[in-house]
Amino acid sequence: MKEEEYIDAIIGIFKVEGIGLSMDAIADRIGITRKTLYNRFKSKDELMERCLDRLSSIFIKEIDCLADESVDVVQGFRNGIMGMWKFFCNSSHIFTHDMITVYPSVASRQQDTGRLWLNSKIRINIERGQADGTYRKDIDPLLMSRYIGFSIFAFFHNELKRGETTDFNDYFKKVTDYNIHALLAQKTEQCHSE
């Protein structure tokens, strides 16, 4: 197996069982020896860092389309926010809770990095939309990107803390529509979900 495949398999186990497993138990669950696991990862702390790095790269891939110049800004916005929905749907309350509890500084750093990345991509989308006349020019891109990013992260974080099973699909579709409607220079049917 490639290292990425090990990490993906381990993340899958953590999503179901949490991160409290020993390295022996992790090796057993993915069908390798303890020695093989330690040849790949020196410690559980390193393993956890790599798991979070992998999740960050998946997150970035899902939201990068916010700044994709090959699609119009409205579709890019929609794709990016719905990419977040996809990422959040594939998340696990158990894994996220355990990470925040056991590795708070690592989890906090990863969340901050993700939030800043999201904010920057939303800002690029807004600035591009203002430049081509799709979005209102009287909106401050920095302020709006921070507001949208914060609201999404705060919602998700609170839902995970409570262990709620809110329908993220409905939430993200509505958030996307509301924000597109607020951004559009001319209110059109373009803002409604397709």
Side-chain angles (χ1 to χ4, degrees):
M1 287 171 70
K2 295 180 182 176
E3 185 171 304
E4 192 173 279
E5 293 172 322
Y6 282 114
I7 292 171
D8 287 344
I10 293 166
I11 289 171
I13 292 164
F14 286 159
K15 285 180 177 181
V16 175
E17 299 185 47
I19 66 172
L21 298 171
S22 68
M23 291 292 271
D24 287 342
I26 293 167
D28 184 56
R29 301 288 196 287
I30 62 172
I32 62 172
T33 66
R34 180 177 191 242
K35 181 180 177 185
T36 301
L37 186 62
Y38 273 105
N39 284 339
R40 295 281 181 174
F41 312 100
K42 294 176 188 163
S43 66
K44 188 165 180 188
D45 287 344
E46 180 186 334
L47 173 63
M48 298 312 301
E49 288 263 358
R50 300 286 270 291
C51 287
L52 284 177
D53 287 344
R54 174 72 175 133
L55 289 170
S56 290
S57 72
I58 293 168
F59 175 78
I60 287 168
K61 182 180 175 187
E62 292 295 343
I63 66 167
D64 253 358
C65 54
L66 277 159
D68 184 351
E69 293 187 16
S70 69
V71 297
D72 70 68
V73 291
V74 172
Q75 193 59 48
F77 188 93
R78 185 178 312 289
N79 292 348
I81 302 302
M82 294 313 290
M84 284 196 65
W85 166 77
K86 179 180 172 186
F87 178 82
F88 289 159
C89 282
N90 289 323
S91 295
S92 157
H93 169 70
I94 295 168
F95 178 71
T96 305
H97 179 269
D98 283 359
M99 284 304 301
I100 291 168
T101 303
V102 180
Y103 296 96
S105 63
V106 175
S108 177
R109 186 178 70 241
Q110 292 292 342
Q111 288 176 348
D112 288 345
T113 300
R115 185 178 37 78
L116 292 172
W117 186 263
L118 174 66
N119 291 354
S120 73
K121 295 302 177 176
I122 293 171
R123 183 177 182 178
I124 291 168
N125 179 276
I126 293 170
E127 289 170 346
R128 198 173 69 124
Q130 288 176 322
D132 73 11
T134 303
Y135 294 155
R136 294 170 37 195
K137 298 217 185 275
D138 64 333
I139 290 176
D140 179 342
L142 178 61
L143 178 63
M144 190 66 162
S145 64
R146 286 179 176 171
Y147 167 74
I148 294 169
F150 177 80
S151 68
I152 291 170
F153 268 85
F155 173 83
F156 180 63
H157 183 73
N158 287 333
E159 293 300 299
L160 279 177
K161 278 176 61 175
R162 291 191 311 234
E164 294 290 323
T165 56
T166 300
D167 182 4
F168 288 131
N169 185 31
D170 186 51
Y171 173 79
F172 281 111
K173 282 183 179 178
K174 285 179 181 176
V175 164
T176 302
D177 286 345
Y178 292 150
N179 285 299
I180 289 172
H181 183 74
L183 290 168
L184 286 174
Q186 297 178 340
K187 307 301 184 237
T188 67
E189 290 303 310
Q190 188 177 18
C191 70
H192 297 292
S193 296
E194 296 167 3

